[in-house]
C-alpha cells in the first residue's frame, strides 16, 4: 500500500495542482481511464471546499490530500484544519449553500464517499475501484 501525501497552503491556486497530482497518481494506481475525470473533479471540489473554509474562518493551516493505492481500491482523503466549522452539519456554517453544493457535486461523482471530521477539521474520504488489469501487474 503506497501513499502520496500533499500539504498545501489554503490558496485557490494550489487546487489545480492537487487535481493534477490526484489524476496522475490514480492513473498509476490503475483507476480506469473513464473515471479519471471524476477523480479530478471530486478532488477539485473537496480541495476548493477546504480552501474556502480556511479563508472564511481566517485559518492559516494547511490542506492535506492523501492518495493511497490499496489492494483493490484507490483512496483519497482531503482534510482541512478549519476547526469544528469544517465538519458539515445541516444549517451550520457561514455559507451552507456553498458547502451543500460542493458536497452534492462530490456525492454525484463518487460512489464510495465518507464525510466527517479529522484531527483539526473536516475530512472527506473518497475511493474508486482499481481495474482488474492493474491488479494483474
Amino acid at each position: 500500500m503506497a501513499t502520496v501525501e500533499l500539504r498545501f497552503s489554503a490558496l485557490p491556486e494550489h487546487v489545480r495542482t492537487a487535481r493534477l497530482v490526484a489524476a496522475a497518481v490514480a492513473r498509476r494506481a490503475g483507476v480506469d481511464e473513464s473515471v479519471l475525470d471524476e477523480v479530478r473533479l471530486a478532488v477539485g471540489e473537496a480541495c476548493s471546499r477546504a480552501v474556502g473554509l480556511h479563508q472564511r474562518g481566517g485559518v492559516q493551516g494547511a490542506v492535506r490530500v492523501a492518495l493511497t493505492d490499496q489492494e483493490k481500491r484507490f483512496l483519497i482523503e482531503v482534510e482541512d484544519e478549519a476547526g469544528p466549522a469544517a465538519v458539515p452539519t445541516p444549517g451550520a456554517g457561514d455559507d451552507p449553500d456553498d458547502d451543500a453544493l460542493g458536497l452534492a457535486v462530490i456525492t454525484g461523482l463518487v460512489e464510495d464517499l465518507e464525510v466527517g471530521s479529522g484531527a483539526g477539521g473536516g475530512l472527506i474520504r473518497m475511493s474508486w475501484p482499481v481495474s482488474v488489469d492493474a491488479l494483474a501487474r
Side-chain angles (χ1 to χ4, degrees):
M1 178 166 46
T3 299
V4 173
E5 185 170 300
L6 301 173
R7 287 177 137 342
F8 61 89
S9 303
L11 299 170
E13 53 266 27
H14 297 307
V15 172
R16 182 172 187 266
T17 302
R19 290 177 57 197
L20 293 171
V21 170
V25 175
R27 178 178 284 119
R28 181 150 177 93
V31 173
D32 193 80
E33 287 287 326
S34 65
V35 181
L36 291 178
D37 281 339
E38 294 173 8
V39 171
R40 194 176 2 258
L41 289 170
V43 168
E45 284 295 328
C47 289
S48 293
R49 180 182 179 277
V51 167
L53 289 168
H54 279 211
Q55 290 182 340
R56 284 194 304 268
V59 177
Q60 297 298 314
V63 175
R64 181 185 73 88
V65 181
L67 311 154
T68 306
D69 179 6
Q70 297 177 329
E71 189 175 327
K72 295 181 181 179
R73 308 248 351 136
F74 178 65
L75 173 68
I76 299 177
E77 294 179 339
V78 177
E79 186 174 12
D80 60 66
E81 296 178 357
V87 179
T89 37
D94 290 341
D95 196 350
D97 290 338
D98 280 350
D99 286 345
L101 179 60
L103 290 173
V105 169
I106 295 168
T107 300
L109 294 168
V110 183
E111 286 182 32
D112 186 15
L113 173 68
E114 250 182 78
V115 181
S117 59
L123 174 68
I124 296 177
R125 182 176 288 128
M126 310 170 272
S127 74
W128 291 266
V130 174
S131 71
V132 176
D133 294 336
L135 293 174
R137 287 191 254 157

